[in-house]
Amino acid sequence: MPEKCEQREEIRWRPNRVVDGDLLMYLRAARSIAAFAGMCGGTAEDRCEAEAMDDTTVNALDTLHKHNYDTSKSLQALVKGPSVMYKEKKWNEEDI
């Protein structure tokens, strides 16, 4: 019964709140921010991985939702606190 349910699902995306062209531009900018943040803390390979990761896109979309689909506010939030996620490498230098 819904009234007895303590935990409810949380909305994480509302379609048609952002024009497709603006959304694509926003995601490109978010990936660039992640790439730059990765570049500051690692190699070019790390930068490319940070930019291409699905987690980078999910983080960008969550940030956009949190800022009520305002792309400029969302980008400002991403610049202030970029979330860089690195994949763990399977092989260390010695193993290679």
Side-chain angles (χ1 to χ4, degrees):
M1 303 186 96
E3 59 273 358
K4 292 185 179 183
C5 183
E6 292 182 21
Q7 291 184 329
R8 296 180 182 225
E9 292 181 357
E10 180 182 337
I11 294 174
R12 294 187 64 182
W13 183 253
R14 293 186 187 270
N16 302 321
R17 297 288 299 263
V18 179
V19 179
D20 287 345
D22 292 343
L23 180 60
L24 290 174
M25 295 281 286
Y26 167 76
L27 290 174
R28 284 185 190 135
R31 289 183 189 117
S32 295
I33 291 167
F36 180 74
M39 182 174 64
C40 290
T43 66
E45 183 181 324
D46 292 338
R47 176 180 58 86
C48 291
E49 284 183 16
E51 180 180 1
M53 289 182 65
D54 290 339
D55 290 340
T56 300
T57 302
V58 170
N59 180 53
L61 292 173
D62 285 346
T63 303
L64 186 62
H65 177 73
K66 186 167 45 170
H67 289 90
N68 201 27
Y69 301 90
D70 184 331
T71 54
S72 62
K73 286 182 182 177
S74 299
L75 286 174
Q76 288 174 3
L78 289 173
V79 167
K80 288 179 183 176
S83 176
V84 179
M85 305 117 190
Y86 295 104
K87 290 183 180 178
E88 289 188 32
K89 296 185 179 182
K90 295 179 183 179
W91 301 76
N92 63 31
E93 292 297 322
E94 187 178 303
D95 292 338
I96 293 172

